[in-house]
Amino acid sequence: MTETAVDVMMEARKTVAEKFPKVLVKLVIAFLIWLFAVYIFLPLSGFLSDPTFLGLIGLEKLIAAIVLIALLIILFAVLRDVKAITDAIASYAAVATLRKETIEEEKLLKYQRGFRGLAYVLVVVIAYLFFLPFLSSIFNVLAGIILIIIVLWAIALLLRVGEVFSDDIEKKTSDFIKGIESEVMHSEEIKAEKK
């Protein structure tokens, strides 16, 4: 199935206009929660000599866990909209890169998969940085283990993203080299004719 480039771009514009404000509001809320937790609530719990809550868990760890859960809830609420925005941006990229009047659905899905992978790596890294103060407050070793898992996952995902775009990169590179060779051959022919 093919779609016209104009239809693809109009649908992408509509998706971004609809989803981006929702994502932005949720991210601002998450950032405010993070700011208050890191600069007010966690230092306050340390100022109180980190008393235990019902003798079970330190106040700093409890506050860190509460904030961590709140940020996770916001992150999961944002992921669906981030996927939609990423697909819309991938649609724009497909239209711009392919420079055709019609876009094949298979090619469009391929671009969406690649850009979605890049977006997921970016979102996970930002989320980890958001969660790091709380993870290290709860259990420092857990923060390191999660970082190792993220690094391995990101490498695997980026390798798959590279495979998604490799055919197009090879084709564009080949076309570029052929263009240069053609120009060199043409200039050599002109030089030969002048002799």
Side-chain angles (χ1 to χ4, degrees):
M1 180 179 161
T2 58
E3 297 182 52
T4 66
V6 173
D7 290 341
V8 169
M9 291 181 72
M10 292 299 290
E11 184 66 31
R13 185 176 295 133
K14 178 183 170 191
T15 301
V16 170
E18 180 182 305
K19 302 287 184 179
F20 185 74
K22 294 177 185 177
V23 170
L24 188 62
V25 167
K26 289 176 185 172
L27 290 179
V28 167
I29 291 169
F31 184 67
L32 289 173
I33 291 170
W34 184 86
L35 278 175
F36 275 96
V38 169
Y39 292 109
I40 296 173
F41 301 136
L42 288 177
L44 274 176
S45 68
F47 179 73
L48 297 173
S49 301
D50 194 25
T52 58
F53 184 72
L54 299 176
L56 301 173
I57 186 170
L59 184 60
E60 184 178 357
K61 290 182 182 193
L62 181 62
I63 289 172
I66 291 169
V67 172
L68 184 69
I69 291 169
L71 290 176
L72 278 171
I73 290 169
I74 293 171
L75 175 71
F76 286 125
V78 166
L79 282 181
R80 190 175 341 127
D81 291 335
V82 167
K83 178 188 175 296
I85 291 170
T86 305
D87 287 347
I89 292 170
S91 299
Y92 266 99
V95 169
T97 304
L98 298 173
R99 298 176 194 240
K100 296 181 179 179
E101 293 296 318
T102 59
I103 307 291
E104 296 174 16
E105 186 175 357
E106 179 183 321
K107 196 75 140 175
L108 187 61
L109 292 174
K110 180 176 147 180
Y111 271 74
Q112 287 175 339
R113 189 172 61 244
F115 279 98
R116 192 180 312 130
L118 291 174
Y120 285 168
V121 170
L122 185 64
V123 167
V124 167
V125 168
I126 291 170
Y128 178 76
L129 292 174
F130 255 56
F131 296 144
L132 185 58
F134 313 110
L135 287 171
S136 60
S137 291
I138 296 170
F139 188 53
N140 213 6
V141 174
L142 180 63
I145 292 170
I146 291 174
L147 179 60
I148 290 168
I149 292 169
I150 289 172
V151 167
L152 294 173
W153 169 80
I155 289 170
L157 187 60
L158 291 173
L159 287 172
R160 283 190 299 195
V161 167
E163 290 174 11
V164 165
F165 295 116
S166 67
D167 293 339
D168 292 333
I169 292 170
E170 288 174 13
K171 185 179 181 314
K172 296 281 183 189
T173 304
S174 175
D175 292 345
F176 179 72
I177 291 172
K178 285 179 185 175
I180 291 174
E181 289 173 351
S182 160
E183 287 181 28
V184 169
M185 294 297 282
H186 183 67
S187 67
E188 290 295 322
E189 289 173 0
I190 291 173
K191 286 180 186 177
E193 288 176 5
K194 288 182 179 179
K195 289 181 182 180

